Amino acid sequence: MTEQSTLNETLADFQARRAETMPPAALKINVEQRRLLVETADHAGFIKAGDRVESFQLTEVGGAQLTLHELLRKGPLVLIFFRFAGCPACNIALPYYNRFLAPELERLGTTLVGISPQVPGRLKEIKERHGLDFLIASDASNALGRRFGILYTFDEPSRRASIASGNPIGEVTGTGTFELPMPATIVIGKDAVVRFADVSPDWLVRTEPAAVLAAVRSIATAPAA
């Protein structure tokens, strides 16, 4: 990865390399699941700019309870939903955000939280592996992801492959289900109103840091209501 590569260029390069070595049957299942999600996602149900976010609670991987009120105390809030600690694309995206997004958000007085439904004890692995400087938290039972309309359920080929692996996704995450969040980035103002929301049905497409920073900076320059 170079500084000139965007996040999505980096992810595309990763997928191109993986396609050369991944067993064809497994690659087909992966590609078809992503294609199905892109074609059938209910965009009208996704959280969007202008929505007001009601109170919620997340569990940080160290055990602390994070509430919306506390997260908004010092300024705007950026939520980045990702799938789980072992997700290859997430292991590219989160370190990228740590390098190219988190420091500037800190300078802007904005809190960044990465969110997955995976249970805290297993989710902490990705934070420790990459030395992430921002909060990583568990969304128990996908409660917030469900409220935001960003969940998907494995299609039947993906479900069968997950079970056949001997380590089905419900056991990996600790949720016992085949549900995961679509990658999503949500910027929330101090008034708990969403200012920016980007949801990607294809988990190999993620929000670029520049778009997040533009949204956060626009809050600071917006005229008072």
Side-chain angles (χ1 to χ4, degrees):
M1 180 173 63
T2 67
E3 290 196 21
Q4 288 71 39
S5 297
T6 68
L7 175 54
N8 286 300
E9 287 170 345
T10 305
L11 288 167
D13 288 345
F14 158 76
Q15 182 65 1
R17 292 193 304 273
R18 186 167 67 162
E20 296 174 354
T21 58
M22 197 173 185
L27 179 63
K28 183 175 187 295
I29 290 171
N30 179 285
V31 170
E32 288 299 306
Q33 170 72 99
R34 291 188 290 112
R35 179 190 60 78
L36 180 64
L37 288 171
V38 169
E39 292 178 354
T40 63
D42 178 18
H43 290 259
F46 293 165
I47 189 167
K48 60 187 181 300
D51 288 349
R52 179 171 293 278
V53 179
E54 299 300 326
S55 179
F56 62 74
Q57 183 168 292
L58 305 167
T59 303
E60 195 268 333
V61 293
Q65 297 304 300
L66 308 176
T67 66
L68 176 63
H69 176 74
E70 289 297 325
L71 291 170
L72 288 173
R73 185 177 295 278
K74 76 172 185 177
L77 171 65
V78 175
L79 305 179
I80 292 180
F81 283 81
F82 65 99
R83 303 198 308 149
F84 57 99
C87 162
C90 303
N91 279 273
I92 293 172
L94 294 189
Y96 193 99
Y97 288 137
N98 197 55
R99 183 177 181 187
F100 296 109
L101 178 61
E104 184 62 11
L105 288 180
E106 177 66 22
R107 192 187 72 78
L108 292 170
T110 299
T111 298
L112 174 61
V113 186
I115 303 172
S116 164
Q118 194 165 30
V119 295
R122 299 178 187 180
L123 187 57
K124 68 186 299 185
E125 174 192 342
I126 196 168
K127 179 162 186 172
E128 294 176 349
R129 181 187 306 132
H130 300 292
L132 301 177
D133 297 320
F134 55 91
L135 295 166
I136 297 294
S138 175
D139 176 23
S141 302
N142 274 306
L144 190 57
R146 195 179 316 282
R147 192 195 303 179
F148 288 173
I150 64 172
L151 300 185
Y152 77 93
T153 302
F154 279 32
D155 65 4
E156 193 53 35
S158 297
R159 186 190 300 262
R160 289 197 301 267
S162 181
I163 294 171
S165 73
N167 199 20
I169 191 63
E171 293 184 11
V172 171
T173 60
T175 64
T177 76
F178 286 89
E179 285 185 315
L180 289 175
M182 301 177 199
T185 301
I186 299 147
V187 177
I188 305 170
K190 284 204 65 164
D191 56 1
V193 173
V194 176
R195 305 304 177 88
F196 171 89
D198 181 38
V199 184
S200 175
D202 184 344
W203 62 78
L204 285 175
V205 177
R206 308 284 172 120
T207 310
E208 294 289 352
V212 183
L213 292 172
V216 171
R217 290 179 181 129
S218 73
I219 296 174
T221 58

